[in-house]
Amino acid sequence: MLELDGMNEDSLTDMLKVSFSWENWTAILEISDKLFELAIMTYGSQQQGMKRYSLKKNIAYYLGYSACMKGIAYQKLGNLAESRKCIRLYEDMSWIKDLNQEVLTEVEYYKNIAIANTFVIDLLEGKTEVLPDYVEFIRKGDKEELLACLITVLESAIKYNFCIDWVLDEFKEQLKELSCREKKEDIRYYIDYMHLSAIYLYKRQKIHDAINLTLYILVISSKLYDGTGFRKIVSFYEHIRSHASAEQQESYRNIMKNILEREFLKDEKGDLVINSRIAD
């Protein structure tokens, strides 16, 4: 159990973002529940004319964010039924009273997120017939959500072994524009997208391409200090190592050697010291 008492909505939101970066899904479930509970209490206080304290965001944000993050955690843990229940909590928040423009915008945002995440659950349950509708939704949607959407498409294609080349080709240029972002959660999405792309290529028997992409991601994840992604990529490479050419194996050795030389430093006594960022 986490010690969450005494924390306000903004502190809990920050904790959720960190937990997401670390892919600590069980922690997200606990923090999300606390955030949702606290947001409901704050809303009740506001309706009674009591101002508890100043928050950075409006109440719809905290209610929607907590329920959405809880749904994502359940999705990642494989409990799709519970994830669907979470979607119902934020698909219609029009019950919130005193809707000003800021709150209305937030309510509409989570309404659209609920539509997207319903597609996500459908795809992860193997309902591949919804893919064209989901792609149409992506076309019309926020470009900032593109990586997350394509991660879902890749996860479904890998799990149920169907071709999505046409989807990846359509959004190729947009993905080049997005590339890597500065925020840690954006980096996590980018590395996960690339990692899943390598797995997809491997499953489609494009093994040489899959290994080359894996080697590329190794370099990127280490430079961006994404320890979670780095560990995944190393594990995947070890799984497919036997398919690597001599040249690819040499590239892997050189990449790992360069990473070690950059990240491990000798202290004055000659002890080996690991840079904490790569071990986060």
Side-chain angles (χ1 to χ4, degrees):
M1 293 287 290
L2 298 171
E3 182 52 61
L4 303 175
D5 291 337
M7 303 185 74
N8 69 7
E9 285 91 331
D10 292 317
S11 298
L12 292 169
T13 298
D14 289 340
M15 284 188 70
L16 279 177
K17 291 177 180 178
V18 172
S19 298
F20 179 83
S21 295
W22 291 346
E23 298 189 358
N24 191 340
W25 311 122
T26 54
I28 287 177
L29 293 179
E30 190 175 344
I31 299 166
S32 294
D33 278 340
K34 184 66 175 180
L35 176 56
F36 192 85
E37 175 190 345
L38 198 56
I40 288 291
M41 290 174 58
T42 298
Y43 175 69
S45 297
Q46 289 174 347
Q47 293 307 298
Q48 295 174 28
M50 296 183 295
K51 188 175 181 180
R52 295 177 64 216
Y53 41 72
S54 178
L55 296 171
K56 295 178 181 178
K57 303 278 189 176
N58 62 76
I59 200 65
Y61 170 84
Y62 300 107
L63 291 170
Y65 188 69
S66 58
C68 185
M69 289 296 281
K70 185 177 180 180
I72 290 172
Y74 272 128
Q75 173 200 318
K76 295 297 185 181
L77 291 169
N79 193 334
L80 301 182
E82 286 299 320
S83 188
R84 278 193 190 276
K85 289 180 183 179
C86 293
I87 291 173
R88 298 188 195 112
L89 293 174
Y90 60 87
E91 67 182 352
D92 182 7
M93 294 192 290
S94 59
W95 53 266
I96 298 175
K97 296 180 181 179
D98 304 322
L99 291 171
N100 58 33
Q101 188 55 53
E102 182 185 1
V103 178
L104 278 170
T105 299
E106 205 71 57
V107 168
E108 188 63 24
Y109 170 79
Y110 278 104
K111 181 180 179 180
N112 287 326
I113 290 295
I115 294 171
N117 285 343
T118 299
F119 279 128
V120 167
I121 301 303
D122 286 343
L123 283 170
L124 294 179
E125 287 179 340
K127 299 172 183 174
T128 56
E129 66 273 11
V130 307
L131 182 58
D133 289 334
Y134 187 44
V135 171
E136 182 60 27
F137 179 86
I138 296 172
R139 289 190 189 111
K140 297 176 180 178
D142 187 347
K143 191 162 62 173
E144 295 296 318
E145 304 294 332
L146 179 58
L147 276 174
C149 292
L150 292 182
I151 283 173
T152 295
V153 175
L154 280 163
E155 287 176 336
S156 181
I158 290 166
K159 185 175 181 179
Y160 297 104
N161 198 27
F162 62 95
C163 180
I164 56 165
D165 290 355
W166 65 276
V167 181
L168 301 179
D169 286 343
E170 175 167 343
F171 297 104
K172 187 186 303 182
E173 294 305 315
Q174 291 184 49
L175 285 168
K176 284 181 182 178
E177 292 176 20
L178 287 174
S179 189
C180 303
R181 302 303 183 87
E182 293 182 359
K183 290 191 298 182
K184 191 162 187 175
E185 54 266 34
D186 290 336
I187 292 170
R188 284 273 54 255
Y189 272 131
Y190 179 74
I191 299 298
D192 274 355
Y193 168 77
M194 298 295 284
H195 173 51
L196 289 170
S197 296
I199 297 175
Y200 173 73
L201 288 171
Y202 179 74
K203 292 269 288 186
R204 302 301 295 176
Q205 299 301 309
K206 299 178 181 179
I207 297 174
H208 186 80
D209 292 338
I211 294 172
N212 281 341
L213 183 55
T214 300
L215 295 174
Y216 169 75
I217 309 167
L218 272 175
V219 176
I220 296 298
S221 61
S222 67
K223 285 183 177 179
L224 295 175
Y225 297 106
D226 178 30
T228 301
F230 182 79
R231 287 187 288 272
K232 284 183 181 179
I233 306 306
V234 170
S235 177
F236 180 60
Y237 177 81
E238 292 300 329
H239 176 69
I240 62 175
R241 178 199 284 269
S242 61
H243 299 287
S245 66
E247 182 181 357
Q248 288 171 325
Q249 292 190 40
E250 181 63 22
S251 293
Y252 176 74
R253 285 191 290 269
N254 288 333
I255 290 169
M256 296 304 287
K257 180 183 176 183
N258 289 335
I259 291 172
L260 289 171
E261 288 176 349
R262 187 177 74 243
E263 301 302 331
F264 289 81
L265 306 173
K266 293 278 189 177
D267 68 7
E268 291 180 356
K269 296 179 180 179
D271 297 323
L272 206 57
V273 179
I274 184 169
N275 185 312
S276 62
R277 288 180 293 181
I278 200 167
D280 64 0

